[in-house]
Amino acid sequence: MVAQRSSVDAVTLSQKRILLVIGGGIAAYKSLDLIRRLRERGAAVRCVLTAGAQQFITPLAAAALSGTRAHTDLFDREDEADIGHIRLARDADAVVVAPATANLMAKMAGGHADDLASTVLLATTLPILMAPAMNVRMWLHPATQRNLSVLRADGVTVVGPNEGAMAEAEFGPGRMAEPLEIVAALERLVGRSGTGAAGPLAGKRVLVTSGPTHEPIDPVRYIANRSSGRQGHAIAAAAAAAGAEVTLVSGPVSLPDPPGVRTVHVESARDMLAAVEAALPVDVGVFAAAVADWRTAENAAQKLKKDGKLPPPLKLVENPDILATIAHRDTGRPRLVIGFAAETENVIEHARRKLARKGCDLIVANDVAPGTGVMGGAHNTVHLVTRDTVESWPTLGKDEVARRLVERIATLLGS
Ligand code: C5P
C-alpha cells in the first residue's frame, strides 16, 4: 500500500502547546477547523470554551478534535484538582483567542475575570494572538476600536477581521480570519514560519510604509488624501509570506493588520518618520505611504470656531520627506530603498526625477489620474523605474503586484 502523504509538509508548530480560547460567535465553527490545522502542524491544542461558545459548538467536539478534554468552568472541582486556571494560563507556548467577540475583547481590555476564559487571559503572560469576529457595526463601534487599541498597546497580536459577507446579510469588516491565516500569524508569533522559513526573503528585515497620513488642523479636523493602503499592506503581507521579518508603519486605514507582520499605527507624517527610524536597521525599505506633503503650521488646541468672521487662514509648512530622509542616511541606510510615484501625467519622466532627487534605488510609478481607479481600487498598473531602465507591468491585482515586487526584491538583494 502506498503511504498517504500528509497535505501539510511543514510541521511548523512541532511541540508547540497552544491554548485556544473559543468565544461565543458563529465563527466558533471555524475554530474547530483551526484545531485540526494546528494539530496537522504538530501543535498540541488545549481548548477553553466560553458559555457563549457552547451555544455554537460543544466541548465534546473541541475535545474530540484536540484529543484532550475541553475546559469550560472557572469553578470546576475536577479541573481545579486536575489543571486549574493558573496552570492553563501558563502551560502553553501561546494563547489564541478565536473568535474574539466584542464582549471578550471588552473583558480583556478591561481586565475582567468572571469566567474561565477571561480569568485565564488575565492570568497569562504568554503571547496572545486574537482573531476578532463580530457584526460589522459592533466592530466599527468606537468602544470596540478603543478596546482594540488598548489590547494592541498591551501587546496582543491581532489577525483579521476580514471584509466580506456576514451571517446577518451585511457586508464589511468583521469576518474572522480564515484558519490558515490564523495559523500563519501564529507561526510568526511563536518564532517559526512555515513557507516563510524557506522563503526567498528568509532572514531579511523589511520595512513598509502604507496608507495616508492625517495632519491635524484642530482636535477634530485634519488634512488627508485618498490612499487606502491596499498596495502597501499587500507588499507587507507578501514580504512576510516570503519569510521576511516585516514592520509595517501604517497611517489611518480601514484594513486589518496583515498576518505575521508587526504593524505600527501612526497618524501624521512626523509620527510616521519617528516610527520608521525606530524600526531601523532593515535590509529593505518600501515607501508606499501617501505621506501628506504639508501640515498646518499650527495645530489649534481647541476646535476652531466660525464666529461669523473670516475663515481661518491655514498656513501650511512642509512635512519631512520620509523616503528621502532614509535614502540619504550616511549610516543605517537600507541596502535597497524603494519609493512610489503616484502621478497624473508624464509618469515615467516624473518618476525618474523623483528617483534622483530622493536618492532611492527603484521607483514603482503608477498613473493615478482621475478615472484610472487606482487610488483606493483593487488594481494597479505600474512601471518599475531605475536610473537606466523602465519595465512596464500589465494591469494586475494589488496582491499580484506585491508578490512580483517581493520576487524582484529577493533578486535584487541576491545580486
Ligand atoms: O514626492 P512624492 O510624494 O510624489 O513622492 C512619493 C514617494 O515619496 C513615495 O514613496 C512616498 O511614500 C514618499 N514620501 C515620503 N515622505 C513624504 C512624501 C513622500 O516618504 N513626505
Side-chain angles (χ1 to χ4, degrees), residues 46-84:
R46 199 185 274 284
C47 297
V48 170
L49 278 71
T50 65
Q54 293 168 65
Q55 300 291 322
F56 295 92
I57 60 167
T58 63
L60 191 60
L65 286 164
S66 66
T68 183
R69 171 158 182 249
H71 303 263
T72 53
D73 295 315
L74 184 54
F75 302 109
D76 180 329
R77 278 177 170 278
E78 203 181 316
D79 248 2
E80 285 302 314
D82 170 12
I83 172 156

Side-chain angles (χ1 to χ4, degrees), residues 16-188:
K16 294 291 177 198
R17 296 159 310 156
I18 307 303
L19 181 69
L20 174 61
V21 176
I22 305 178
I26 182 65
Y29 80 92
K30 286 205 237 173
S31 299
L32 293 177
D33 187 40
L34 176 62
I35 299 172
R36 287 187 41 220
R37 303 294 179 183
L38 293 170
R39 292 196 72 201
E40 278 173 355
R41 284 161 179 77
V45 184
R46 199 185 274 284
C47 297
V48 170
L49 278 71
T50 65
Q54 293 168 65
Q55 300 291 322
F56 295 92
I57 60 167
T58 63
L60 191 60
L65 286 164
S66 66
T68 183
R69 171 158 182 249
H71 303 263
T72 53
D73 295 315
L74 184 54
F75 302 109
D76 180 329
R77 278 177 170 278
E78 203 181 316
D79 248 2
E80 285 302 314
D82 170 12
I83 172 156
H85 63 269
I86 298 297
R87 266 189 60 204
L88 268 178
R90 284 202 191 133
D91 284 1
D93 295 294
V95 182
V96 177
V97 188
T101 59
N103 183 50
L104 199 44
M105 282 176 62
K107 281 165 70 168
M108 287 168 75
H112 293 239
D114 62 355
D115 64 358
L116 181 63
S118 54
T119 305
V120 165
L121 286 163
L122 189 63
T124 193
T125 52
L126 298 170
I128 300 177
L129 174 69
M130 175 178 93
M134 67 198 70
N135 169 274
V136 55
R137 283 173 225 290
M138 292 168 78
W139 173 251
L140 295 175
H141 194 285
T144 304
Q145 291 301 308
R146 201 164 50 236
N147 292 333
L148 179 66
S149 307
V150 169
L151 291 169
R152 281 209 176 109
D154 288 348
V156 173
T157 303
V158 183
V159 54
N162 294 339
E163 242 184 47
M166 321 263 328
E168 307 87 352
E170 283 182 295
F171 189 89
R175 281 168 65 91
M176 187 170 88
E178 295 304 319
L180 287 179
E181 290 177 291
I182 299 174
V183 167
L186 184 64
E187 285 168 346
R188 291 255 142 219

